[in-house]
Amino acid sequence: MQAYEVIGIFILFILIAIPVVLTILAFIDYFRSRTEKKSVNITLRRAAIAAAGIFAFCLIDAFYIEPFMLSVTRLNIDSPKVNGEGIKVIHLSDIHFEKNSKLLNKVVENTRKENPHIICITGDSHYLSDYNEAEFNLYLTEFSKIAPVYFVCGYDTKDTILKASNNTFEFVEDTVKKITIDGNSFAIAGLPMMDVSFDKSIFNENDYNIILTHMPDLLDEVKGSDTDLYLAGHTHGGQIRLPVWGAILTLCKTGKKYEYGHFKFGQLNAFITRGIGLEGKPAPQARFLCPPEMVVINIK
């Protein structure tokens, strides 16, 4: 366990302990006032009620509200390599499909409304077990009706995704796929999740070069190459975030360095998305300060 994880868990424990301790102290004070016939400590009672109320609100939000509140994050990128009106890219990750839902249908509806040129999916499209395969197959094919879909795997597998999409998705791990959109040349490469190095010679400097990978771990390796856009997920943005501190866990070698969001290094833009779904059980089926996210990227 990394140091940031220990600190984050400790902070979370303290935040949970505060309303519990205050409530216990308030009850002790109440029973003491009854037995000793003294007045109740009003300040302590109010503090306990306030802390318990805030804690209850946070629990309701984390388990019953926020996991179903899809947010759309927009990123505008200017590049001398792209002329004309540019292209629109939809980035999705960590769908963790179990069964169809209003949230997942909203992802499809929003993608359709955006009318993108391409869709990029960066792994963990379904739970590793206990998911409705028939519904999953129907769900994935909806994306290929909208735009070409390029994907890499996380803990899911190439064969599962290709089968589910009726072979309409294109698997780009360990390869470079070149496409032309409105006269602009793009190269899309996929890096396997467990890669520990990056070959900087795979790209042509004249193309707009996009890397799809599941984790942010290779981002430092990619810096200084001809890569223009790095898209990844895996972290879920922490899934449970604390005010100021951010993610408690990211399960990445890079820790909190690239836990979530947009990073820019010269010509290289990187986006690490919060993803759509939830980590599989027994992890808490909750999100806090970290709603599901689809990313719309306009490159001009």
Side-chain angles (χ1 to χ4, degrees), residues 46-82:
R46 288 175 177 172
I49 292 172
I54 293 171
F55 184 59
F57 172 81
C58 290
L59 286 178
I60 293 169
D61 173 76
F63 283 92
Y64 300 105
I65 299 176
E66 206 166 311
F68 312 103
M69 294 176 56
L70 179 66
S71 65
V72 179
T73 299
R74 298 184 183 277
L75 177 63
N76 296 312
I77 298 174
D78 295 320
S79 173
K81 296 182 180 180
V82 180

Side-chain angles (χ1 to χ4, degrees), residues 70-210:
L70 179 66
S71 65
V72 179
T73 299
R74 298 184 183 277
L75 177 63
N76 296 312
I77 298 174
D78 295 320
S79 173
K81 296 182 180 180
V82 180
N83 299 311
E85 295 185 0
I87 72 163
K88 180 182 288 188
V89 179
I90 296 290
H91 177 207
L92 304 174
S93 193
D94 301 276
I95 297 172
H96 288 289
F97 188 99
E98 183 177 16
K99 60 183 179 180
N100 213 346
S101 66
K102 290 182 179 179
L103 171 67
L104 295 179
N105 286 332
K106 193 171 182 180
V107 174
V108 174
E109 292 169 8
N110 284 7
T111 301
R112 187 178 292 112
K113 289 177 183 178
E114 292 293 339
N115 192 27
H117 292 87
I118 61 173
I119 300 169
C120 297
I121 299 178
T122 54
D124 281 5
S125 294
H126 62 81
Y127 280 131
L128 296 183
S129 61
D130 193 28
Y131 70 96
N132 189 312
E133 185 175 347
E135 288 187 4
F136 181 62
N137 296 355
L138 290 172
Y139 183 73
L140 280 196
T141 54
E142 289 299 313
F143 290 106
S144 55
K145 295 175 184 178
I146 300 170
V149 181
Y150 302 93
F151 79 98
V152 294
C153 291
Y155 292 99
D156 46 1
T157 65
K158 167 188 174 183
D159 291 340
T160 301
I161 303 303
L162 288 177
K163 177 184 176 182
S165 68
N166 289 326
N167 290 306
T168 57
F169 286 16
E170 185 146 2
F171 184 66
V172 293
E173 274 187 22
D174 284 328
T175 188
V176 179
K177 172 69 177 179
K178 291 205 171 188
I179 60 175
T180 301
I181 300 174
D182 295 338
N184 296 300
S185 180
F186 297 86
I188 304 173
L191 302 182
M193 181 174 66
M194 295 302 180
D195 268 11
V196 294
S197 63
F198 170 66
D199 180 2
K200 295 185 178 182
S201 67
I202 65 172
F203 286 137
N204 183 320
E205 64 179 5
N206 296 316
D207 296 330
Y208 189 90
N209 300 308
I210 302 173

